[in-house]
Amino acid sequence: MRKKRLFARAEALLLLLMLCLHTYSQNRLISGKVTDSKDGNPIQGVSVIPAGTAQGTTTNAKGEFQLSVSPTTTSLVFSSVGYGTREVALNGNTMTVSLVANSSNLNEIIVIGYGTQKKKDLTGSITTVSAKDFQQGAISTPDQLITGKIAGVVVTPNSGQPGVSSTIRIRGGTSITASNNPLIVIDGVPLENITNSDGTSSISGAPNALSMLNPNDIESFTVLKDASATAIYGNRASNGVILITTKKGRSGGALRISLNSLNSIAVKTKDVDVLSAAQLKKIVNTQGTTAQKALLGNANTDWQNQIYQKAFTTDDNLSISGGIKHLPYRVSLGYLDNNGILKTGYLRRKSAALNLSPVLLDNHLHIDLNLKGIYADNRFASSGAIGEAVRMDPTQPVYDKSSPYGGYFEWQQGNIPNVLSTRNPVADLMLTRDISTVKRSIGNIQLDYSLPFLPELKANMNLGYDISRSNGGKYIDPKYAGSYTNGGSQSAYSQYRRTELFDFYLNYAKELTSIRSRFDLTAGYEYQDFYRASPSTSTKSVTGFNPVNNAAAQTTYGLPDSSRSTLLSFYGRLNYSFNDRYLLTATVRRDGSSRFGPNNRYGTFPSVALAWRINQEHFMKTVPVFSDLKLRVGYGVTGNQDIGNNYGYLANYTLSTATTRYQFGDSAYYTYRGEAYAANIKWEQTASYNAGLDFGFFKQRLSGSLDFYYKKTTNLLLDVNQSSLSNLSNHVITNVGDLENRGVELNINALVVNSKDFTWNIGANFSYYKNKITKLSLVTDTTSPGYQTGPIGGGTGNQIQINSIGYPVNAFYIYKQVYDQKGIPVEGVYTDVNKNGGKNLFYRYKSPNPKATIGFSSQLGCRNWSLGFAMHGSFGNYMYNNVKSNLGTFSSISNPNNYIGNASTDYLHTNFQNAQYFSDYYVENASFLRMDNITLGYNFGKVIQKRVNLRLSAIVQNVFVITKYTGLDPEIPSGIDNNIYPKPRIWSLGVNLDY
Amino acid sequence: MNIRHLYSIIIAGALALSATSCTKDLNRLPIVQVTSASVYSNPATIKEALAKIYGGLSLSGQDVGASPDISAPDIGSNTYFRNWWEAEELPTDEAVIAWNDGDLQQYHTMNWTPQMAYLTLWYNRVFFEIASANEFIRELPDSKISSFGSSDAANIKTYRNEARFLRALAYWHAIDHFGNIPFATEASAVGNLPKQASRDSVFQFVESELLDLQNQLPDPGQNEYGRADKGAVWTVLAKLYLNAKVYTGQDRSTDCITYCNKIITSNKYSLATHYANLFEIDNHTTSNEIIFVIRANGLKSQSYGNSTFLVHAAVGGSMDPSQFGVGGGWGGLRVTANLYNLFSDPSGNTDTRAMFYTTGQTKDIADLKNFNDGYTVTKFKNLSSTGQAGSDPSGNFVDLDFPMFRLADIYLMYAEAVLRGGSGGDATTALGYVNALRDRAYGNTSGEITATDLTLPFILDERGRELYWEGGRRTDLIRFDLFTSGTYVWPWKGGVPNGTGVDAHLNIYPLASTDIVANPNLKQNAGY
């Protein structure tokens, strides 16, 4: 119902706008054509205005225009994006005008929130990466296209699984409990947060919400970093905004058919160092009990080799684009078959995208229609196998013919599997089948109408949707030891998600040459609704009974999840430019969010920024080496309403599941729990300051920008302890903390060599940042260390990190290890850092946050050859090596539970008997430098009757990593390395055919 | 009028209209959850809200392993029963645990700080139980109850009284463990910071509530099994009075005897024939000994922190899980030699209460974290008296209702109160009660003691033999002033292998630092 009304309203508006079609035509009719001074091609969209007035027209696709002017008009002013402005005196009723293209990238059109701007007019910290600069190779998810490409933007894939999500941080996180993900906007449609509050994908059954988009359809990423750029997105802007623009057809363009195929092999790069069968045997035979010696087998199994494979991936895309008169179009089809290096896992994605961007009504109405559809099949390889392969006894075989567990060797206890032992990882992979199907469609239609009677005024309406449907389930074979006594397991889940957008704004742009001023005013309204529904999940036994005692098994149901939230906003922006030197941007947004109670529902988020184009000053004209020099300062306030709970301010009750009832007499009763709530919960607020310098030398051959920022987040949402008895749980998410982030960023691009046969481009970025918690609770208590976080593997409920005042987010909270003369850690001996007789040995040490990150890329072109590489690095980030802390002990091998485990070779170094989880010995410097890819391409030019362009490329991804970290991978966002799906090295061959 | 202005007005009007008509869309209500108004408008859902407070004793949340009541690093380890049991048993001579989980080991080594995570879990859990009961009572004032039909109204009134009982039980545990505690009743709305109340004043509150409830709740055995009745109220009163000197400085042994007598003379309870049957899944059909239980069911009422914990955690090493009706052991709990040595014949051949497993285990504990160090206990099983396993075919969750209060405990309390000089009872009856327990244990009269044997130290030892691992050892040792002093030590008491005396401030646990931070009204217990 709501949806219908919404769209009906939009249609009415559109109709209104279309009614405004007629113009007043008197006096004198001028017609003419505008062309490019260089090649004589017509230029579309040139603004043609009688000098001294505000009202004119624009050229059509053939560069032609018609304009009636008053008898007093003596000249016309021609201006267009990418070209210089020219005033031409009237001489007769027809004219041909040529415009000179601007040589530099300063006239590049940058997509900003609710509009576009020329690069030279920007006042905020905004960086664009377009397709030619994307990361190369087999990339199944769009976020990874910009890894290491932008200063201050850290994109870290969470593992090596196909389609896996990345942790994306723009200038570090501004939150601890609420989301730290940037807002992602595709063609003007803001998406729902890509992850849930527990870090899982917001689209059930998808490894990552963004993997349900084809990276090949993306034209550019624009990252809005500072508040003056992001504040127009109000209460979703605190973590930055990423604007994704998809590829479009070209007006008047010829038919272009492009076929790309990229085929890859992924291989694992290295193994976790564990004991060999011989080493393990020796240890058990010398230190083990008689019973343990008897448990040893005779095999020599490399379990890590058993679970990984060389994985083939093909990514094929066909696109057809062109323009039929006023109807530019682009159609693309994509197919990705991405197999994981962990056996059995894959992502198979079929995608289709359509873009139509017709220009109607004599160039007054620009329509941009984008439709994207995805159909993806996933199989998730059981990730538990990774840890099992490391822990499993190498003296045991993979297969055992006499085994009742599908022919796989398993540890037994009596006539059932030993529940405490490690399961056979190969059986775990082969006997479980966790699959899903996800369908998603994202689309929008944007109508941009310039009013005929007032061409400076444009009305823009954007209607968008994002709908997905997921179905998935997990089948565990009844023979699998992990589910043997349950008779196997079958579970199913489904999810439906729907986001709707209505956005309308008016834009008024006016140049007043008399006062050397340019105004650009935008005011708009946006409505967005987010709905999701997941019915109760069910899990049932496959056979229905326990094969050991024939007891009947039961079907269990999970809790359903269904919720809805709505955002309603008004926004405005003023861009003012004086004398093309002094720029002002002011924005304001008023946001209402259904996530908050009536008293806290609305927030106002203002920003202001100033820029000074120093090189335009007369005194700089004498220094021609500068092609750009701009100083920017900005301030703004943004919010973060993504608090993880849609109804956190309301008192409500939750029913239990059928397995969590309580019995009275012979009946079991479901239970109703009153939920804790914070009636006054509100958004987190971040005030940001930014100062930047854009510079360009030698006609922009060398350009870059330097930015300094400081962000202070207040009303930080924290899952804080409630005073006991004051609420219905011990904790509730509420606004209590403060957090600071500060940093420096430098971006440099250089065209080092630019000759006919040889070109060399390099891009580099550097950023330094640090954060600090400044407030954590209502009552300051020096006795409270803070909030522990960072669950680790090993033991139950152990946590290794802490958030405390005066320290960075997620600092490690551990014991200071004491070493002997040889530098070997002494088991269980720690420094009494707090000098209280060892009562409390904890201290804070480092954190997973890097101090500095860098990115570097190079692109060499020599005739038909091209050679490029991209690398990125991170410095000062530390990692807790959970694999070692868990497995580098004798107790990892020997236990009282009738099985043998394997240990990390680190045991041979430390000789630890029991796990020392809290030793800082395991916190390692994880600074690294990673070569992301090296790409070699050869362009054969026109082949096949000289009509088809052929380009071949060879790419290696994840070429090498330089690091002191001793685990598998130093790049894990959480800073806790516990059997992460390893990132493979990928070898690819690509073929591009363009017709 | 200029047509241009007209259009502008129309557009502006349309915009304003679209904006105002949508603002009510910001009032989104939950889809899955329901509001308190609807829960408390229907007798059936009111009973489900009551089930939550009972379930609060055994369950971790609204789903097993998910949707927890309390934020905890490990959901399964946070339930009322498990946390209370750990706080009562792990610091004593009765139990040690092998797990290398956070600061769990610090229970036994008595290294307690306000930051200790496992203590904080227990602290949060006991006050969660009280807050849940407060909410239930608050939502059901007399005015609301009277809006129901008379039979519904009577039932709902009983529900509310049971909530008051559960609150009194939790408050008793809270003062027993934490001394001066935050205190609030249903009169305090959500969001109000509670004041701190002294141990003495909470004692009086609990006493007055129970004295009133003994007239309100159904007679012993008359409520549905698992729900509280007068027998449960009297037991808590008796326990409160037995320990009153610790809480208030005043001996109330006479009152203890009064309420022990009420239970005994109600004639609803009798000793089970076989001691072992009390800890098997059909314990409520094999005897009338049990006064109040925490119920469990392997299919319908699953938790990692009800008796599932007790059965699994004691199984490990070379023990065969199927002998306990479970799919596998968790290899955690053992006893110190002190408990084992309480039995003159620990084999179980004479005193059948000695239920230990020694194969592959050592009596002494060199390493607390090694499951093979220390004998284990075979008392609790997920098997029926006829050897039938519980309902969960995978043996993950057990069916054993945990006997929180039973008649044997009342007999021993009676005897102790008499020995402490309480009136209303006599030594002969006391001796008879103690010998009744010993006759059952030995299967004949060979274990009987004489009047001269019946001393306070004997009572403490007998409580160890009869009630070990049933949650209460810490309270007993404190009442006998042996918990912290150096006169009685056990392995690893105070963190040293042979045991040592510790400071008397450890007779009370610290308030959790998380609460001190959240509530400026609170003052930490002395010594922390």
Side-chain angles (χ1 to χ4, degrees):
Chain A
M1 285 310 285
R2 162 65 49 206
K3 186 177 165 193
K4 241 182 199 167
R5 284 216 328 263
L6 182 71
F7 283 85
R9 200 155 49 225
E11 281 157 18
L13 270 175
L14 180 63
L15 202 65
L16 264 176
L17 296 172
M18 289 186 172
L19 283 172
C20 324
L21 284 178
H22 65 127
T23 55
Y24 309 88
S25 47
Q26 292 90 15
N27 308 326
R28 187 176 167 196
L29 190 70
I30 309 287
S31 59
K33 186 172 181 177
V34 183
T35 57
D36 187 312
S37 65
K38 202 172 169 189
D39 53 19
N41 287 336
I43 312 174
Q44 184 193 8
V46 178
S47 146
V48 186
I49 300 170
T53 72
Q55 192 183 333
T57 186
T58 54
T59 57
N60 65 15
K62 291 177 185 161
E64 293 164 353
F65 70 94
Q66 279 198 331
L67 182 68
S68 75
V69 297
S70 70
T72 56
T73 303
T74 57
S75 62
L76 295 180
V77 177
F78 295 84
S79 62
S80 179
V81 165
Y83 292 89
T85 299
R86 195 173 160 199
E87 187 169 338
V88 182
L90 283 178
N91 184 10
N93 288 347
T94 59
M95 57 202 300
T96 301
V97 176
S98 66
L99 294 182
V100 182
N102 289 314
S103 57
S104 72
N105 57 2
L106 292 174
N107 284 298
E108 195 184 329
I109 300 293
I110 306 288
V111 179
I112 56 171
Y114 310 99
T116 57
Q117 233 180 337
K118 284 183 198 168
K119 191 171 180 195
K120 69 182 167 77
D121 292 334
L122 295 176
T123 56
S125 180
I126 296 175
T127 309
T128 292
V129 180
S130 55
K132 68 177 168 38
D133 296 319
F134 286 165
Q135 288 277 2
Q136 300 294 312
I139 288 173
S140 57
T141 170
D143 35 335
Q144 291 173 21
L145 294 172
I146 56 167
T147 303
K149 294 293 184 180
I150 304 175
V153 179
V154 178
V155 180
T156 314
N158 291 323
S159 79
Q161 189 196 349
V164 75
S165 62
S166 298
T167 299
I168 309 170
R169 294 288 175 264
I170 298 177
R171 293 184 165 180
T174 57
S175 184
I176 295 175
T177 306
S179 172
N180 274 314
N181 292 329
L183 174 68
I184 294 175
V185 181
I186 297 183
D187 290 329
V189 181
L191 300 186
E192 185 185 28
N193 193 354
I194 52 173
T195 54
N196 296 323
S197 53
D198 60 359
T200 55
S201 165
S202 60
I203 299 181
S204 298
N208 161 21
L210 285 177
S211 71
M212 297 297 106
L213 282 174
N214 185 348
N216 291 288
D217 287 328
I218 293 175
E219 177 68 37
S220 70
F221 279 77
T222 299
V223 179
L224 312 181
K225 296 194 283 193
D226 72 340
S228 75
T230 61
I232 193 106
Y233 285 103
N235 69 10
R236 288 181 283 177
S238 277
N239 293 307
V241 181
I242 295 179
L243 306 175
I244 295 177
T245 307
T246 59
K247 289 176 180 162
K248 319 279 183 212
R250 272 170 223 277
S251 177
L255 174 69
R256 260 191 84 181
I257 301 172
S258 181
L259 181 67
N260 306 326
S261 178
L262 187 76
N263 296 284
S264 321
I265 292 285
V267 294
K268 72 173 167 161
T269 57
K270 60 177 181 176
D271 287 327
V272 174
D273 290 327
V274 290
L275 300 179
S276 68
Q279 285 173 311
L280 182 74
K281 262 189 185 165
K282 194 175 155 206
I283 290 167
V284 173
N285 282 328
T286 50
Q287 299 174 56
T289 63
T290 318
Q292 285 168 342
K293 288 173 196 165
L295 288 170
L296 285 171
N298 294 316
N300 184 2
T301 306
D302 182 340
W303 289 100
Q304 293 183 78
N305 265 344
Q306 294 292 328
I307 62 166
Y308 294 113
Q309 63 185 358
K310 288 191 173 67
F312 177 72
T313 292
T314 182
D315 188 1
D316 307 300
N317 290 277
L318 171 69
S319 72
I320 300 167
S321 64
I324 304 165
K325 290 195 171 172
H326 295 303
L327 180 62
Y329 62 89
R330 180 175 186 274
V331 184
S332 76
L333 295 172
Y335 176 70
L336 172 75
D337 183 354
N338 185 1
N339 291 294
I341 58 164
L342 184 60
K343 285 176 180 173
T344 73
Y346 59 74
L347 162 63
R348 288 178 193 145
R349 181 179 67 202
K350 303 175 190 94
S351 64
L354 169 71
N355 164 259
L356 296 173
S357 30
V359 180
L360 304 173
L361 305 178
D362 199 18
N363 249 338
H364 286 294
L365 180 62
H366 291 251
I367 300 177
D368 190 23
L369 172 76
N370 297 292
L371 293 174
K372 282 176 271 298
I374 293 283
Y375 185 100
D377 284 310
N378 298 285
R379 178 165 175 182
F380 302 96
S382 178
S383 57
I386 295 170
E388 288 158 356
V390 174
R391 287 194 305 271
M392 195 70 182
D393 171 7
T395 70
Q396 304 302 337
V398 179
Y399 304 101
D400 170 5
K401 277 190 187 127
S402 64
S403 163
Y405 311 116
Y408 291 96
F409 168 82
E410 295 282 1
W411 294 107
Q412 271 191 284
Q413 179 87 329
N415 58 351
I416 56 172
N418 183 338
V419 294
L420 292 176
S421 72
T422 306
R423 294 270 75 87
N424 183 325
V426 183
D428 190 355
L429 292 172
M430 299 303 164
L431 297 179
T432 62
R433 187 175 168 81
D434 184 357
I435 55 169
S436 73
T437 300
V438 179
K439 287 168 271 185
R440 183 189 202 182
S441 177
I442 300 181
N444 73 307
I445 180 165
Q446 187 160 11
L447 306 167
D448 190 83
Y449 184 70
S450 58
L451 276 68
F453 54 84
L454 186 62
E456 299 91 339
L457 183 64
K458 288 194 296 187
N460 186 298
M461 181 170 68
N462 193 6
L463 302 174
Y465 71 90
D466 173 9
I467 292 174
S468 71
R469 203 178 275 283
S470 311
N471 286 290
K474 187 170 183 180
Y475 175 86
I476 304 176
D477 195 290
K479 291 197 179 69
Y480 178 52
S483 199
Y484 187 72
T485 54
N486 255 335
S489 150
Q490 267 176 300
S491 61
Y493 62 87
S494 66
Q495 185 204 41
Y496 171 73
R497 272 175 66 263
R498 184 185 70 216
T499 300
E500 291 164 323
L501 170 78
F502 168 79
D503 175 36
F504 179 85
Y505 66 83
L506 292 171
N507 173 262
Y508 179 80
K510 176 81 179 165
E511 177 141 16
L512 290 177
T513 42
S514 55
I515 53 167
R516 291 180 287 176
S517 294
R518 207 164 57 235
F519 296 90
D520 188 321
L521 271 163
T522 304
Y525 163 77
E526 186 176 89
Y527 176 100
Q528 202 168 3
D529 188 59
F530 306 88
Y531 171 76
R532 65 158 78 187
S534 311
S536 174
T537 56
S538 66
T539 307
K540 65 177 182 186
S541 165
V542 175
T543 61
F545 60 90
N546 176 345
V548 182
N549 58 11
N550 288 322
Q554 180 202 27
T555 299
T556 60
Y557 298 90
L559 292 169
D561 175 26
S562 195
S563 68
R564 186 169 187 179
S565 71
T566 302
L567 285 169
L568 191 155
S569 319
F570 301 92
Y571 55 86
R573 175 172 48 219
L574 163 69
N575 288 323
Y576 172 72
S577 151
F578 177 71
N579 206 13
D580 230 10
R581 286 173 206 171
Y582 310 103
L583 309 169
L584 165 79
T585 303
T587 68
V588 65
R589 181 169 176 123
R590 187 161 168 79
D591 263 323
S593 168
S594 68
R595 287 188 160 127
F596 308 114
N599 296 334
N600 293 314
R601 196 156 275 171
Y602 290 93
T604 303
F605 303 94
S607 82
V608 62
L610 296 166
W612 177 25
R613 298 188 64 203
I614 304 170
N615 65 317
Q616 297 292 311
E617 296 288 352
H618 291 299
F619 62 82
M620 286 299 288
K621 301 280 183 192
T622 57
V623 198
V625 64
F626 282 104
S627 48
D628 182 20
L629 190 63
K630 181 161 73 179
L631 182 66
R632 296 177 275 107
V633 289
Y635 165 78
V637 178
T638 53
N640 183 3
Q641 61 106 39
D642 217 325
I643 57 172
N645 182 347
N646 283 343
Y647 311 107
Y649 73 96
L650 276 174
N652 56 62
Y653 274 65
T654 304
L655 192 66
S656 68
T657 61
T659 48
T660 324
R661 290 178 283 173
Y662 195 78
Q663 282 185 296
F664 295 146
D666 294 331
S667 308
Y669 289 80
Y670 286 86
T671 75
Y672 260 117
R673 176 178 69 195
E675 299 295 336
Y677 62 97
N680 291 317
I681 194 166
K682 60 190 290 193
W683 60 90
E684 297 179 336
Q685 185 162 307
T686 303
S688 315
Y689 302 81
N690 192 85
L693 187 71
D694 292 343
F695 52 85
F697 302 95
F698 319 116
K699 293 180 181 164
Q700 296 300 94
R701 282 274 296 271
L702 174 65
S703 65
S705 61
L706 176 68
D707 278 87
F708 297 84
Y709 65 88
Y710 169 77
K711 298 199 281 189
K712 171 140 184 134
T713 304
T714 51
N715 290 331
L716 196 62
L717 283 164
L718 286 171
D719 193 359
V720 294
N721 298 302
Q722 288 293 286
S723 148
S724 50
L725 301 181
S726 70
N727 213 322
L728 299 175
S729 180
N730 68 320
H731 68 112
V732 75
I733 293 178
T734 191
N735 309 87
V736 293
D738 292 351
L739 175 72
E740 286 177 356
N741 283 277
R742 62 187 79 211
V744 184
E745 291 164 357
L746 178 66
N747 258 321
I748 290 178
N749 289 295
L751 180 54
V752 182
V753 181
N754 188 19
S755 68
K756 187 164 167 281
D757 289 333
F758 189 68
T759 58
W760 185 25
N761 268 298
I762 56 173
N765 66 73
F766 166 86
S767 75
Y768 166 87
Y769 108 103
K770 70 181 188 188
N771 70 20
K772 191 168 89 175
I773 298 168
T774 51
K775 189 179 167 205
L776 267 180
S777 58
L778 295 175
V779 182
T780 311
D781 177 11
T782 48
T783 69
S784 166
Y787 294 95
Q788 275 183 268
T789 181
I792 59 167
T796 300
N798 286 335
Q799 295 171 303
I800 202 76
Q801 292 166 333
I802 195 163
N803 287 316
S804 37
I805 294 169
Y807 292 88
V809 175
N810 296 338
F812 293 106
Y813 193 53
I814 45 174
Y815 303 156
K816 193 168 184 59
Q817 181 66 52
V818 169
Y819 298 83
D820 65 13
Q821 297 99 320
K822 290 179 200 151
I824 293 167
V826 186
E827 179 165 3
V829 182
Y830 302 103
T831 308
D832 185 12
V833 280
N834 300 311
K835 309 228 178 328
N836 57 7
K839 235 177 151 32
N840 177 11
L841 292 169
F842 283 109
Y843 82 115
R844 295 169 192 81
Y845 177 65
K846 306 291 183 184
S847 88
N849 310 314
K851 281 200 170 69
T853 58
I854 62 162
F856 187 79
S857 58
S858 158
Q859 187 69 37
L860 273 173
C862 183
R863 295 215 173 94
N864 292 335
W865 290 93
S866 65
L867 176 66
F869 69 83
M871 59 208 291
H872 77 282
S874 175
F875 303 94
N877 49 308
Y878 280 71
M879 179 90 74
Y880 176 70
N881 193 332
N882 202 178
V883 176
K884 275 190 181 175
S885 72
N886 215 356
L887 296 173
T889 70
F890 181 62
S891 63
S892 173
I893 300 168
S894 158
N895 61 72
N897 302 312
N898 296 314
Y899 72 95
I900 302 286
N902 201 358
S904 159
T905 49
D906 194 48
Y907 163 60
L908 303 176
H909 174 67
T910 64
N911 208 27
F912 282 175
Q913 298 301 297
N914 281 312
Q916 303 296 323
Y917 296 120
F918 293 98
S919 169
D920 66 1
Y921 168 69
Y922 296 112
V923 176
E924 302 182 30
N925 186 338
S927 300
F928 68 90
L929 184 67
R930 184 189 298 270
M931 180 62 82
D932 293 307
N933 67 66
I934 298 177
T935 305
L936 178 67
Y938 185 78
N939 194 337
F940 288 87
K942 301 283 185 196
V943 295
I944 316 177
Q945 300 174 333
K946 303 218 165 178
R947 294 174 76 174
V948 178
N949 191 73
L950 170 68
R951 185 172 181 272
L952 289 182
S953 55
I955 306 159
V956 197
Q957 283 164 271
N958 192 11
V959 189
F960 59 80
V961 181
I962 301 171
T963 182
K964 281 199 277 187
Y965 181 64
T966 60
L968 272 194
D969 192 331
E971 195 177 10
I972 296 167
S974 65
I976 298 170
D977 178 5
N978 185 19
N979 298 316
I980 306 284
Y981 193 136
K983 288 165 206 158
R985 180 164 302 135
I986 306 173
W987 305 80
S988 308
L989 272 177
V991 184
N992 295 10
L993 286 169
D994 287 306
Y995 169 76
Chain B
M1 188 178 172
N2 190 325
I3 194 162
R4 205 189 294 172
H5 289 134
L6 183 65
Y7 287 132
S8 309
I9 290 163
I10 291 171
I11 290 165
L15 265 179
L17 195 71
S18 61
T20 49
S21 64
C22 290
T23 53
K24 64 176 180 295
D25 286 358
L26 296 182
N27 298 315
R28 296 283 182 221
L29 288 176
I31 298 167
V32 175
Q33 297 91 343
V34 297
T35 59
S36 58
S38 70
V39 169
Y40 291 100
S41 62
N42 176 345
T45 49
I46 292 172
K47 194 168 184 182
E48 289 172 339
L50 176 72
K52 176 67 203 175
I53 312 173
Y54 278 102
L57 299 174
S58 69
L59 305 171
S60 57
Q62 298 310 84
D63 194 3
V64 61
S67 190
D69 298 329
I70 305 261
S71 69
D74 172 58
I75 292 172
S77 62
N78 184 229
T79 69
Y80 194 104
F81 168 73
R82 180 165 167 176
N83 296 155
W84 165 75
W85 193 96
E86 287 168 344
E88 270 296 317
E89 296 287 354
L90 289 183
T92 72
D93 53 354
E94 286 191 352
V96 298
I97 197 158
W99 303 330
N100 196 358
D101 294 353
D103 46 26
L104 185 62
Q105 291 297 335
Q106 290 172 218
Y107 260 130
H108 193 78
T109 57
M110 299 176 114
N111 177 13
W112 305 331
T113 64
Q115 290 83 33
M116 186 175 146
Y118 272 87
L119 259 179
T120 304
L121 286 181
W122 164 226
Y123 181 93
N124 287 332
R125 179 51 81 168
V126 72
F127 289 107
F128 170 79
E129 183 71 7
I130 295 167
S132 304
N134 277 342
E135 163 85 353
F136 186 85
I137 299 164
R138 181 164 48 234
E139 288 285 348
L140 291 169
D142 286 338
S143 56
K144 191 179 232 165
I145 293 179
S146 59
S147 68
F148 292 96
S150 59
S151 76
D152 281 339
N155 283 335
I156 293 167
K157 199 152 192 179
T158 304
Y159 301 159
R160 192 178 67 181
N161 288 327
E162 289 172 57
R164 288 172 62 200
F165 166 76
L166 292 167
R167 179 174 67 179
L169 175 73
Y171 264 131
W172 165 53
H173 284 153
I175 55 167
D176 187 44
H177 287 200
F178 299 105
N180 304 324
I181 55 169
F183 179 79
T185 66
E186 71 279 7
S188 178
V190 167
N192 288 351
L193 287 184
K195 294 262 189 301
Q196 191 162 18
S198 69
R199 210 179 199 186
D200 195 4
S201 67
V202 180
F203 175 93
Q204 286 170 31
F205 171 79
V206 175
E207 181 189 19
S208 68
E209 282 285 284
L210 294 170
L211 290 175
D212 181 52
L213 288 168
Q214 67 168 331
N215 303 317
Q216 311 279 350
L217 286 181
D219 287 335
Q222 294 308 301
N223 213 340
E224 285 179 290
Y225 190 69
R227 291 172 60 188
D229 55 24
K230 284 183 179 139
V233 174
W234 294 330
T235 308
V236 180
L237 274 169
K239 286 190 166 282
L240 200 63
Y241 291 133
L242 184 67
N243 295 290
K245 196 166 181 191
V246 174
Y247 306 143
T248 68
Q250 202 185 345
D251 187 283
R252 302 284 292 270
S253 296
T254 301
D255 293 312
C256 176
I257 294 169
T258 305
Y259 287 93
C260 288
N261 276 332
K262 284 204 184 223
I263 296 159
I264 294 163
T265 59
S266 73
N267 289 323
K268 291 290 177 189
Y269 306 105
S270 57
L271 291 184
T273 315
H274 301 291
Y275 180 77
N277 291 162
L278 288 163
F279 315 103
E280 291 165 345
I281 60 178
D282 50 355
N283 53 9
H284 71 287
T285 58
T286 51
S287 86
N288 292 317
E289 183 172 338
I290 296 168
I291 301 167
F292 187 67
V293 290
I294 298 176
R295 299 203 63 185
N297 184 284
L299 294 178
K300 298 168 192 159
S301 196
Q302 298 178 339
S303 168
Y304 293 102
N306 56 11
S307 48
T308 295
F309 158 74
L310 204 47
V311 177
H312 280 90
V315 176
S318 59
M319 298 165 84
D320 178 358
S322 66
Q323 296 297 308
F324 299 86
V326 291
W330 297 352
L333 295 170
R334 296 98 67 211
V335 297
T336 71
N338 293 42
L339 179 71
Y340 185 76
N341 291 339
L342 286 180
F343 292 93
S344 51
D345 172 13
S347 70
N349 295 332
T350 47
D351 187 339
T352 56
R353 298 173 300 186
M355 301 167 86
F356 299 105
Y357 185 90
T358 56
T359 313
Q361 305 290 120
T362 59
K363 185 169 162 185
D364 294 321
I365 300 168
D367 180 356
L368 285 170
K369 292 177 188 167
N370 185 348
F371 183 79
N372 295 134
D373 290 4
Y375 293 145
T376 76
V377 167
T378 60
K379 185 166 160 178
F380 300 93
K381 297 184 181 75
N382 185 33
L383 294 172
S384 73
S385 53
T386 58
Q388 207 63 39
S391 59
D392 178 4
S394 61
N396 286 332
F397 299 101
V398 309
D399 284 358
L400 177 65
D401 295 341
F402 176 80
M404 189 173 225
F405 301 137
R406 59 187 178 94
L407 185 63
D409 189 6
I410 307 298
Y411 281 175
L412 289 169
M413 288 202 289
Y414 177 98
E416 184 180 335
V418 167
L419 288 170
R420 287 183 186 278
S423 55
D426 60 83
T428 314
T429 315
L431 183 64
Y433 288 155
V434 171
N435 277 332
L437 299 180
R438 295 185 65 86
D439 289 352
R440 171 176 68 183
Y442 283 74
N444 54 46
T445 57
S446 64
E448 288 196 356
I449 58 163
T450 64
T452 52
D453 296 330
L454 191 64
T455 60
L456 280 172
F458 177 86
I459 290 287
L460 180 67
D461 289 349
E462 189 67 10
R463 286 186 73 85
R465 287 183 286 263
E466 177 68 30
L467 298 168
Y468 67 94
W469 281 28
E470 293 183 51
R473 187 62 173 176
R474 172 189 159 279
T475 309
D476 289 348
L477 288 171
I478 289 172
R479 190 170 66 251
F480 283 84
D481 200 22
L482 295 173
F483 185 61
T484 53
S485 73
T487 28
Y488 179 57
V489 297
W490 51 86
W492 295 98
K493 178 177 180 177
V496 301
N498 294 323
T500 180
V502 293
D503 193 83
H505 79 272
L506 298 176
N507 281 320
I508 303 179
Y509 285 119
L511 304 183
S513 72
T514 50
D515 205 17
I516 302 272
V517 176
N519 186 349
N521 296 331
L522 299 182
K523 195 167 159 282
Q524 184 56 272
N525 290 325
Y528 290 102

